[in-house]
Amino acid sequence: MSLKELVRPNIWNLEPYTCARNEFTGEARAWLDANENSRIEGLNRYPDPLQWEVKKRLGTIRGVDASRIFLGVGSDECIDIAYRVFCRPGIDNVVALEPTYGMYQVCADINDIEYRRVSLNKDFTLNVDAVLNATDENTKILWICTPNNPTGNAFPREQLRELCTRFKGITVIDEAYIDFSPKGSMVEYLDEFPQMIVMQTFSKAWASAAMRLGVSYASPEIIEIYNKVKYPYNINILTQRQALKVLDDIDNINRITAEILDARKQLVAELAMLDVVEKIYPSDANFVLVQVTNANAIYAYLRDNGVIVRNRSRVHLCGNCLRITVGSDEENKLLIEKIQEYGTR
């Protein structure tokens, strides 16, 4: 399918809102276009609507041209805008894995899009044929989270490339946890697969969850359409400034990421020694999925003692499972102490 066939007709024909800041680059001598308050300096000016400085700095780190980058208010905006661009309400559908990140379905429900689930195998591996068999002529998007949340495992890039090759719609690869994975990003295949979108975020390895900044990498043509649909100044100036600070500190972030991976190994080893722990699933992320004897009771005990983990026991294939983030050394120590305390009551 061509991009025009994939995009909703009203979006393809959309005349976007434009501002003078889209038509000018550099520093003007007088900003008289946007009815701002010119008498009080500080936050009185609108930010760059296309965040070029951030995109150029990010593109240098990820090896991607700035024209292939979209910045959203968290990954949630990146997810929602994909629905708004490609999916006709009440007509089109999307296919996603089960279990996976819950916002794909929430955004589908908000946008009145049929959401089709394809179960992972019992060991959380991916069945490419099962995913493709769930599609039809109205399937516009495949949602593939890798490393997957809540299972923690990353899927082989060979399988991801096969999906991108065989599926004729939009394949979205959500790489929120990619910096913790040895399997590598799909960003390097953007040229090979012009209908692939790769999502990442500042929230995880880059320690900026409070900043709310998500990223989509795609062809310049898709990014141009995204920019037509997004709200004019979706990323505020404070976020843009902080993003530049984060990107300037990337060597330190990479060092901390390596420390988290070491801490994950230690946490897994300590969890494995606990009587209430039945299984720890392999992880390519900064969390581990742990099967315990009684997830509801252990979760409640931890919560009542100020240790907050995620109870995933109601999620498909995750019976009696807790998802546990790799915390600070102090947090990890307290977690182990409280689970031991629960087991000796």
Side-chain angles (χ1 to χ4, degrees), residues 154-222:
F155 305 116
R157 288 202 293 180
E158 294 76 16
Q159 287 189 311
L160 302 179
R161 296 180 75 243
E162 184 179 358
L163 285 171
C164 291
T165 300
R166 294 174 61 186
F167 180 57
K168 303 309 178 185
I170 300 294
T171 303
V172 180
I173 310 295
D174 186 349
E175 295 184 342
Y177 302 94
I178 196 64
D179 295 286
F180 302 104
S181 173
K183 291 187 169 65
S185 172
M186 287 291 288
V187 163
E188 65 182 87
Y189 299 110
L190 286 174
D191 284 332
E192 183 177 352
F193 303 114
Q195 292 177 186
M196 177 183 70
I197 299 171
V198 178
M199 286 173 35
Q200 294 180 0
T201 180
F202 278 65
S203 294
K204 308 303 179 183
W206 291 4
S208 299
M211 191 166 66
R212 309 306 304 127
L213 191 61
V215 186
S216 286
Y217 303 95
S219 69
E221 293 76 17
I222 289 177

Side-chain angles (χ1 to χ4, degrees), residues 5-59:
E5 291 174 297
L6 287 168
V7 174
R8 291 167 54 185
N10 64 305
I11 299 299
W12 187 265
N13 297 318
L14 178 69
E15 288 292 334
Y17 176 87
T18 60
C19 62
R21 309 292 163 93
N22 291 106
E23 303 164 3
F24 176 82
T25 58
E27 281 299 319
R29 296 177 63 186
W31 294 106
L32 304 177
D33 60 306
N35 305 330
E36 300 148 325
N37 184 337
S38 61
R39 305 300 176 95
I40 301 176
E41 294 294 330
L43 300 178
N44 59 315
R45 300 297 185 187
Y46 287 103
D48 175 3
L50 295 176
Q51 313 97 30
W52 283 117
E53 189 175 358
V54 177
K55 289 178 180 178
K56 289 174 182 177
R57 194 85 57 87
L58 175 60

Side-chain angles (χ1 to χ4, degrees), residues 263-264 266-268 270-272 274 276-277 280 287-288 290 292 298-299 301-303 305-310 322-343:
R264 186 184 70 194
Q266 182 176 349
L267 178 62
V268 167
E270 293 178 354
L271 286 168
L274 301 176
V276 300
V277 171
I280 304 170
F287 62 84
V288 289
V290 182
V292 295
I298 295 171
Y299 170 79
Y301 187 81
L302 291 173
R303 179 200 61 205
N305 283 274
V307 179
I308 311 303
V309 297
R310 198 81 154 99
L322 301 175
R323 193 193 70 193
I324 301 173
T325 304
V326 179
S328 66
D329 292 341
E330 293 77 13
E331 289 173 322
N332 294 341
K333 180 180 178 182
L334 180 62
L335 168 77
I336 297 298
E337 288 178 355
K338 292 305 174 183
I339 296 180
Q340 287 175 328
E341 192 175 278
Y342 168 87

